Amino acid sequence: LANPLVRNALLAGSLGLILRRRWATPLLIVSLLAVIAQDISLFVLGSAAADPIAMTLQGLVLLIAIGLVLLARKASRLGWLR
């Protein structure tokens, strides 16, 4: 997670989920969009497409970001967040 926007939004969104705050959902969506932008820059514009380790780790980060957004949306829908 080299991009500070991705790291900070992900950390703040995760902290918001732990504290059960409603603002966690938009922050996690921003972090997901930033992860997608980072993946595009790494694999389309950069040369990381040849590195299987980079592809695996970025895929894992993307899956975690998607999972956190889905969890935040479910928590919001079920009234877990204040």
Side-chain angles (χ1 to χ4, degrees):
L1 294 175
N3 189 340
L5 175 65
V6 173
R7 183 184 64 237
N8 293 338
L10 188 61
L11 287 174
S14 298
L15 181 63
L17 276 180
I18 291 170
L19 297 175
R20 297 174 49 189
R21 298 295 178 195
R22 191 165 295 156
W23 46 261
T25 304
L27 282 177
L28 289 170
I29 291 172
V30 167
S31 72
L32 176 60
L33 294 175
V35 166
I36 291 169
Q38 184 175 358
D39 285 351
I40 290 171
S41 71
L42 279 175
F43 298 120
V44 175
L45 305 175
S47 62
D51 187 8
I53 295 173
M55 291 180 72
T56 303
L57 291 177
Q58 277 305 115
L60 184 60
V61 169
L62 181 61
L63 288 176
I64 290 170
I66 291 170
L68 285 172
V69 168
L70 293 175
L71 176 64
R73 290 180 66 198
K74 180 178 181 176
S76 182
R77 189 176 60 245
L78 294 176
W80 296 348
L81 304 179
R82 303 180 242 150

